[in-house]
């Protein structure tokens, strides 16, 4: 979105004297902080190349917001703000936008720095699913079909290896071979979802630390970035926390020697997540808690490598071979994760 478009969207919300700060951290959507006479807001442009039905995101969030208002009125949930027409989604120049009130005195983190952050975040994601335990998750739209479908991600990965004979394939070969050897994770994922006790639950599907707002005391306030909130299985949220919290460096780190598993963070995720939601889970879900990390780290490694072989059409790249670096990083993390859980 260019500056002029941004100004016009701001007018559709009726915000005056607005100043705009770019607060991008995700790879997919564009996010802005708007300070205006009417208050401080978060304005997000939904990437419609990826979310082809942005209206569905809005309908899901409104459905959940209505349910939570009735069943858990004290639970903080970021409800979308209507524009001057009363719509909680705004279409402008073929782009889709939504806005939220900026939570005063809140902040986010890009990387988990200590146990407390991991504990607070995992409690927040667990609370979110737990508050929706009696809500029928099947009522939600599937905003991204097959998002955490590992069988499909693996099939795409194999296809990208078969169809690509460029020099990228040569560069990708060591990581690709290592990942192919670990394909029993796909079998274990398939056994998981085929099991009768694998419940369909409301999952956030993107539990990185920057999707939690913290207050000044370092307590978790609420979950944000709700585009991928949809029906899912319990592996998605804990799995993505293991993937993104355990190592002191993120998926962007090229120096693989900096990746290691922080035991205290591991315990904090387990304590925060299971400690909050365990009574709502069945023993099959609890028994497969650690498998979630293997599924999500493996899935992200093959997604990055597939994208590298597809010339970065999904994630983009800021420097040459960035998606290869990301895939190698995730592969290293997976090896260390498997050592840690055995
Ligand atoms: C994407 O855009 P962002 O950073 O919120 C991706 C996630 C990946 C993540 C990896 C819709 O999330 O699945 O885990 O990148 N989201 C989508 O950084 O593909
Ligand atoms: Mg996201």
């Amino acid at each position: 979105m260019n500056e002029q478009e941004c100004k016009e969207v701001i007018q559709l919300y009726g915000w005056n004297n607005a100043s705009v700060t770019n607060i991008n951290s995700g790879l997919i959507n564009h996010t802005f902080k708007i300070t205006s006479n009417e208050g401080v807001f978060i304005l997000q442009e939904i990437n419609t190349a990826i979310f082809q039905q942005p209206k569905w995101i809005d309908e899901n969030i409104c459905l959940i917001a209505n349910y939570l208002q009735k069943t858990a009125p004290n639970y903080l949930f970021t409800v979308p703000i209507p524009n001057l027409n009363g719509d909680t989604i705004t279409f402008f120049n073929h782009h889709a936008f939504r806005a939220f009130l900026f939570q005063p005195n809140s902040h986010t983190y890009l990387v988990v720095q200590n146990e407390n952050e991991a504990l607070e975040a995992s409690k927040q994601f667990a609370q979110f699913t737990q508050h929706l335990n009696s809500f029928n998750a099947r009522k939600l739209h599937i905003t991204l079909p097959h998002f955490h479908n590992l069988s499909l991600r693996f099939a795409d990965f194999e296809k990208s290896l078969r169809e690509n004979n460029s020099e990228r394939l040569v560069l990708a070969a060591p990581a690709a071979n290592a990942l192919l050897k670990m394909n029993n994770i796909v079998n274990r994922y398939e056994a998981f979802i085929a099991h009768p006790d694998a419940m369909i639950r409301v999952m956030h599907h993107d539990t990185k630390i920057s999707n939690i707002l913290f207050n000044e005391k370092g307590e978790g306030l609420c979950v944000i970035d709700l585009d991928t909130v949809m029906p899912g299985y319990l592996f998605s949220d804990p799995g993505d926390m293991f993937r993104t919290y355990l190592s002191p460096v993120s998926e962007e780190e090229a120096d693989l020697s900096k990746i290691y598993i922080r035991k205290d963070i591991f315990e904090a995720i387990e304590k925060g997540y299971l400690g909050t939601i365990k009574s709502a889970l069945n023993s099959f879900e609890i028994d497969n808690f650690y498998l979630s990390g293997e599924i999500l780290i493996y899935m992200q490694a093959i997604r990055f490598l597939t994208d590298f072989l597809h010339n970065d059409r999904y994630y983009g790249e800021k420097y040459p071979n960035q998606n290869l670096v990301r895939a190698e990083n995730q592969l290293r993390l997976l090896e260390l994760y498997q050592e840690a859980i055995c």
Side-chain angles (χ1 to χ4, degrees):
M1 170 169 63
N2 62 36
E3 216 175 291
Q4 186 52 33
E5 275 181 329
C6 193
K7 278 190 187 148
E8 295 187 47
V9 174
I10 285 171
Q11 277 176 12
L12 298 175
Y13 281 92
W15 301 328
N16 295 300
N17 283 329
S19 65
V20 180
T21 330
N22 195 335
I23 53 165
N24 253 356
S25 67
L27 298 177
I28 305 297
N29 293 324
H30 288 151
T31 311
F32 306 90
K33 183 176 171 187
I34 315 286
T35 309
S36 72
N37 292 352
E38 286 70 24
V40 186
F41 303 95
I42 295 293
L43 180 69
Q44 194 165 44
E45 179 186 351
I46 301 170
N47 183 333
T48 47
I50 291 169
F51 294 97
Q52 298 191 353
Q53 299 282 357
K55 225 177 157 13
W56 286 358
I57 297 178
D58 185 51
E59 286 174 10
N60 281 355
I61 299 175
C62 292
L63 199 63
I64 291 177
N66 284 338
Y67 177 86
L68 291 172
Q69 257 154 29
K70 286 186 218 124
T71 55
N74 296 325
Y75 174 70
L76 181 59
F77 185 70
T78 48
V79 185
I81 293 185
N83 60 25
L84 291 176
N85 286 332
D87 299 325
T88 45
I89 186 151
T90 302
F91 290 96
F92 180 78
N93 274 358
H94 307 291
H95 297 295
F97 300 86
R98 64 217 161 95
F100 302 94
L101 251 188
F102 177 78
Q103 295 296 326
N105 305 319
S106 70
H107 60 275
T108 54
Y109 298 109
L110 287 179
V111 176
V112 171
Q113 299 159 95
N114 55 50
E115 262 179 86
N116 183 59
E117 290 167 14
L119 183 73
E120 289 293 316
S122 51
K123 275 188 195 167
Q124 282 293 327
F125 285 113
Q127 267 172 32
F128 175 63
T129 295
Q130 197 182 27
H131 278 307
L132 295 166
N133 198 34
S134 303
F135 171 89
N136 181 0
R138 288 187 164 88
K139 279 192 187 163
L140 297 175
H141 296 290
I142 300 189
T143 54
L144 273 182
H146 303 295
F147 187 43
H148 281 181
N149 180 338
L150 185 59
S151 311
L152 200 93
R153 299 287 184 190
F154 187 73
D156 285 350
F157 171 53
E158 282 189 307
K159 192 161 172 264
S160 72
L161 290 171
R162 272 198 310 275
E163 289 175 356
N164 196 307
N165 51 20
S166 68
E167 64 189 54
R168 285 200 174 209
L169 188 58
V170 178
L171 292 173
N177 289 332
L179 288 165
L180 286 170
K181 277 194 197 129
M182 293 164 125
N183 70 356
N184 68 74
I185 298 174
V186 184
N187 305 334
R188 286 189 285 138
Y189 155 84
E190 287 170 354
F192 181 97
I193 61 164
H195 196 282
D197 289 339
M199 309 296 289
I200 300 283
R201 298 186 177 277
V202 180
M203 285 283 110
H204 182 285
H205 287 104
D206 190 8
T207 58
K208 59 172 159 272
I209 193 72
S210 59
N211 284 339
I212 292 292
L213 294 187
F214 286 83
N215 69 14
E216 286 158 323
K217 289 190 238 156
E219 296 160 341
L221 277 178
C222 63
V223 304
I224 56 169
D225 190 19
L226 306 170
D227 336 330
T228 51
V229 168
M230 52 184 164
Y233 296 99
L234 196 88
F235 67 78
S236 287
D237 286 5
D240 203 43
M241 286 193 280
F242 286 130
R243 183 181 85 76
T244 55
Y245 301 178
L246 288 177
S247 168
V249 292
S250 79
E251 65 199 18
E252 299 295 347
E253 180 58 59
D255 180 352
L256 304 190
S257 71
K258 291 188 178 156
I259 302 172
Y260 66 94
I261 303 287
R262 294 179 289 182
K263 282 261 155 58
D264 55 339
I265 304 288
F266 204 117
E267 283 161 19
I269 297 172
E270 193 161 356
K271 188 172 159 202
Y273 201 83
L274 289 184
T276 304
I277 200 178
K278 203 169 182 177
S279 61
L281 306 182
N282 60 45
S283 56
F284 172 76
E285 291 172 311
I286 296 168
D287 290 349
N288 283 286
F289 191 62
Y290 296 158
L291 172 64
S292 69
E294 291 183 89
I295 294 175
L296 265 285
I297 303 169
Y298 188 68
M299 179 151 44
Q300 197 61 55
I302 62 176
R303 285 179 72 190
F304 282 142
L305 204 54
T306 305
D307 199 42
F308 175 69
L309 293 168
H310 285 157
N311 297 316
D312 321 299
R313 66 185 180 206
Y314 190 88
Y315 288 114
E317 65 167 18
K318 294 201 178 84
Y319 65 87
N321 303 341
Q322 186 176 12
N323 281 309
L324 176 61
V325 166
R326 289 166 167 160
E328 288 170 345
N329 168 307
Q330 295 292 285
L331 169 60
R332 180 68 189 135
L333 179 66
L334 179 57
E335 289 164 353
L336 294 169
Y337 181 84
Q338 288 188 322
E339 275 171 29
I341 61 169
C342 72

